[in-house]
Amino acid sequence: MAIIIDGKQVAADVKARVAKEAERLAELGITPGLAVIIVGDDPASKIYVRNKAKACEEVGFYSEVITKPEKTTQRELLEIIDSLNKRADIDGILVQLPLPKHINEKAVIGAISPKKDVDAFSPFNVGKLMIGDGVFLPCTPAGVMELIKSTGVEVSGKNCVVIGRSNIVGKPMAMLLLQQSGTVTICHSKTENLAEVCSKADILVSAVGRPNFVTADMVKEGAVVIDVGINHNEEGKMCGDVEFDEVEPKAGFITPVPGGVGPMTIAMLMDNTLKAAILNAKSAAKKSGKK
Ligand code: GUN
């Protein structure tokens, strides 16, 4: 029987710490501000954006949701980002993905000032992460690291297997595990003997996006199993990548879906926005000191 990792609780702890810091900043007249841009009508994106704004309210941040129609041009979007880059009351800028097909996602993400890139998706921040200098850590992988920390299991020296190689989760996830001295393998759709590779993992992170993808034969006895998947089964019920009922008795620790990784992504976004506000306040103070 595995210990179920309570993502809601760990996320609440992170948010409580951020809220406390925000209170301290408020005494200095600083309110962290997050702008979230959503283009189009993707229903899942709308829910995520609403939850991000709600979290800002909970921790005492200012938030601004900019909702644009599907037909918005890339140029219009770049203009919005440009004006947000210049605003002193906005510390973090997030463009909800996916964007409509006629907009070049890379161009848009690359236009966000690295100092306000709280998703840590821009090439600058991805590079910083790669060399171990990351200020903003990508929210979902950073949230997974917090969950692993909450188990008390040390990453150092452990076999860590990440299934999935996306820029948002798989690749940065592997990098964070490596930074904590894990022995890291990234698996993907072309991996041979996937089950065998996974079954050697002390820490297994699945970010595939397919229900029931991780079965008991792929899991080592006592492993930490982290399920990043957000899928819906045939009955329309939310589920992860892991065949929970069969894996749970074998694992040492396991995250549920919902209530595992999901709440962490937004909690880490709040943490990044707080960091951005502190850095921006410091750099504003430095500039005014020079005058
Ligand atoms: N779409 C799915 N996940 C994310 C995320 O973490 N950030 C943004 N901006 N869009 C997403």
Side-chain angles (χ1 to χ4, degrees):
M1 282 271 284
I3 293 174
I4 314 286
I5 302 171
D6 186 350
K8 276 191 202 157
Q9 185 58 54
V10 182
D13 293 347
V14 170
K15 282 194 281 184
R17 173 178 56 75
V18 171
K20 215 166 154 195
E21 283 283 310
E23 251 176 54
R24 200 179 57 84
L25 289 179
E27 284 165 18
L28 305 170
I30 299 163
T31 307
L34 175 69
V36 181
I37 307 171
I38 176 166
V39 184
D41 294 310
D42 180 60
S45 290
K46 280 184 181 170
I47 296 170
Y48 292 142
V49 166
R50 204 183 312 136
N51 288 340
K52 286 169 186 176
K54 198 169 134 235
C56 282
E57 207 174 304
E58 275 169 35
V59 299
F61 293 177
Y62 168 72
S63 78
E64 199 166 300
V65 175
I66 299 160
T67 307
K68 301 301 288 179
E70 180 87 16
K71 62 178 197 310
T72 303
T73 65
Q74 183 167 317
R75 180 190 286 249
E76 278 175 273
L77 192 51
L78 291 174
E79 277 167 9
I80 293 167
I81 291 170
D82 188 45
S83 71
L84 292 169
N85 279 340
K86 291 176 181 144
R87 271 174 58 182
D89 60 334
I90 295 296
D91 298 293
I93 303 169
L94 181 152
V95 178
Q96 189 63 32
L97 303 177
L99 286 168
K101 290 206 169 48
H102 65 275
I103 297 177
N104 180 336
E105 228 160 70
K106 283 188 179 150
V108 169
I109 289 167
I112 299 170
S113 161
K115 289 183 178 142
K116 298 191 178 189
D117 171 32
V118 285
D119 255 334
F121 288 170
S122 72
F124 180 86
N125 284 316
V126 173
K128 292 285 259 185
L129 172 68
M130 191 82 184
I131 59 170
D133 260 356
V135 176
F136 303 127
L137 301 181
C139 303
T140 300
V144 171
M145 294 310 286
E146 287 288 324
L147 293 177
I148 295 171
K149 193 166 115 194
S150 80
T151 66
V153 172
E154 277 277 328
V155 174
S156 179
K158 296 281 161 49
N159 265 337
C160 305
V161 173
V162 179
I163 321 176
R165 54 175 156 178
S166 70
N167 289 331
I168 293 184
V169 184
K171 286 187 214 167
M173 187 71 249
M175 211 43 65
L176 292 181
L177 289 163
L178 179 62
Q179 269 164 23
Q180 290 197 10
S181 305
T183 303
V184 185
T185 306
I186 306 177
C187 296
H188 45 79
S189 53
K190 300 284 190 290
T191 298
E192 291 179 4
N193 305 323
L194 177 73
E196 196 193 328
V197 177
C198 292
S199 69
K200 303 268 180 349
D202 303 301
I203 297 171
L204 180 63
V205 180
S206 181
V208 177
R210 273 165 59 184
N212 303 329
F213 187 82
V214 177
T215 45
D217 59 307
M218 296 164 74
V219 175
K220 182 177 172 177
E221 198 80 44
V224 177
V225 179
I226 307 280
D227 191 347
V228 185
I230 300 178
N231 314 302
H232 290 89
N233 65 15
E234 306 91 63
E235 292 114 56
K237 201 173 147 225
M238 192 197 273
C239 63
D241 294 345
V242 177
E243 170 69 270
F244 188 90
D245 292 343
E246 103 177 25
V247 170
E248 184 269 332
K250 204 171 176 189
F253 297 87
I254 189 167
T255 58
V257 176
V261 175
M264 292 307 295
T265 300
I266 293 185
M268 300 320 285
L269 174 67
M270 297 302 108
D271 195 36
N272 278 344
T273 306
L274 176 77
K275 281 185 197 163
I278 293 170
L279 290 172
N280 290 337
K282 277 186 185 159
S283 100
K286 222 174 180 179
K287 267 188 205 150
S288 67
K290 272 191 196 144
K291 272 179 199 159

